């Protein structure tokens, strides 16, 4: 074909066909979406900030509660250890009290004046003093409340008795001494408590 024929041939304009929506690339879609406004970005950041502050507060509350629980656990553990040291002798001391009671009863029963009885009394008294000395070293305190007001937390009344000259509700006799270990009651004292005089019955003369 000659050059003149090529110039005479009509030219067709190529029109690019728009791609279907499904064939568009993600970049083309992004170019079609309008960017968010500055107000929207600020609002979104504020929401994220509020959520972050709330989460931080929740974590702080959890940390404070955990520290408080750990401190309470530490105090309870320390108290348990202290109690274990203080009252480790509790059962052992109670067993020794039965031996001491036997010595006291034996001493009270030895009423003769023979040399054998005197030696027995001296030996028993010495042994009892040794017991009391050992008890005092380990904070075992004797309760001998004769003449003191009756204390229901430390004394056990086995008898109420009217005693002339005695103040009502005071201990007038001690059957058995009591004992305490580091402020805790090992055994209450068995006591006789004075009571007031009984009032005579009121007689209704009009009856």
């Amino acid at each position: 074909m000659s050059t003149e024929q090529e110039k005479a041939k009509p030219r067709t304009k190529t029109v690019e066909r728009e791609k279907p929506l499904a064939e568009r690339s993600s970049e083309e879609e992004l170019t079609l979406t309008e960017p968010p406004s500055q107000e929207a970005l600020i609002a979104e950041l504020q929401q994220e900030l509020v959520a972050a502050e709330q989460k931080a507060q929740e974590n702080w509350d959890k940390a404070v509660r955990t520290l408080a629980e750990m401190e309470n656990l530490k105090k309870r553990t320390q108290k348990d250890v202290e109690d274990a040291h203080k009252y480790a002798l509790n059962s052992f001391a109670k067993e020794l009290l039965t031996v001491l009671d036997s010595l006291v009863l034996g001493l009270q029963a030895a009423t003769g004046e023979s040399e054998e009885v005197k030696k027995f009394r001296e030996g028993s008294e010495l042994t009892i003093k040794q017991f009391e000395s050992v008890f005092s070293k380990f904070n075992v305190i004797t309760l001998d409340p004769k003449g003191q007001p009756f204390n229901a937390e430390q004394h056990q009344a086995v008898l109420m008795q009217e005693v002339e000259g005695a103040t009502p509700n005071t201990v007038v006799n001690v059957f058995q001494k009591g004992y305490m270990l580091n402020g805790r009651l090992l055994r209450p004292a068995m006591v006789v408590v004075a009571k007031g005089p009984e009032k005579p019955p009121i007689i209704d003369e009009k009856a």
Side-chain angles (χ1 to χ4, degrees):
M1 183 181 297
S2 64
T3 305
E4 293 180 357
Q5 289 177 342
E6 288 179 359
K7 290 181 180 181
K9 184 179 180 181
R11 296 182 179 180
T12 58
K13 184 178 182 182
T14 303
V15 179
E16 185 177 354
R17 183 174 60 86
E18 184 178 359
K19 294 182 180 180
L21 184 60
E23 298 180 2
R24 295 179 184 176
S25 64
S26 58
E27 294 182 356
E28 291 176 337
E29 290 181 0
L30 290 175
T31 56
L32 295 176
T33 304
E34 293 184 1
S37 63
Q38 186 175 2
E39 290 78 5
L41 288 174
I42 294 175
E44 184 178 354
L45 290 174
Q46 288 177 341
Q47 291 178 357
E48 292 178 357
L49 178 60
V50 170
E53 290 177 346
Q54 184 177 359
K55 188 64 176 179
Q57 185 63 41
E58 292 175 357
N59 292 335
W60 173 256
D61 293 340
K62 289 180 181 179
V64 171
R65 286 196 300 270
T66 302
L67 288 175
E69 291 174 359
M70 291 178 64
E71 185 65 24
N72 292 334
L73 179 60
K74 179 182 177 181
K75 290 180 180 179
R76 287 196 300 268
T77 304
Q78 185 176 358
K79 185 177 184 303
D80 291 341
V81 172
E82 291 175 356
D83 289 346
H85 287 300
K86 282 184 179 180
Y87 307 115
L89 296 176
N90 190 76
S91 299
F92 182 65
K94 285 184 178 180
E95 295 296 327
L96 288 181
L97 288 180
T98 60
V99 180
L100 180 60
D101 292 339
S102 299
L103 287 172
V104 172
L105 291 174
L107 181 61
Q108 293 173 351
T111 57
E113 295 298 330
S114 64
E115 290 297 323
E116 291 78 7
V117 173
K118 289 181 180 179
K119 290 181 180 179
F120 174 78
R121 290 178 60 87
E122 290 175 358
S124 297
E125 289 173 353
L126 180 60
T127 304
I128 290 172
K129 288 181 179 179
Q130 289 176 338
F131 263 99
E132 293 175 347
S133 176
V134 172
F135 281 166
S136 64
K137 289 181 180 179
F138 292 95
N139 295 322
V140 179
I141 307 301
T142 304
L143 298 177
D144 189 7
K146 187 175 182 179
Q148 300 176 8
F150 175 74
N151 184 351
E153 295 182 356
Q154 298 179 356
H155 311 151
Q156 182 176 345
V158 296
L159 182 64
M160 296 287 291
Q161 187 175 24
E162 185 178 340
V163 179
E164 185 178 355
T167 305
N169 206 41
T170 58
V171 177
V172 294
N173 195 10
V174 179
F175 284 156
Q176 189 181 63
K177 295 179 182 179
Y179 292 89
M180 298 185 71
L181 172 62
N182 288 317
R184 176 183 289 183
L185 188 67
L186 274 176
R187 185 180 73 186
M190 312 289 284
V191 299
V192 178
V193 182
K195 65 177 181 178
E198 295 183 1
K199 295 181 180 180
I202 300 175
I203 300 176
D204 190 356
E205 298 179 353
K206 296 181 181 180

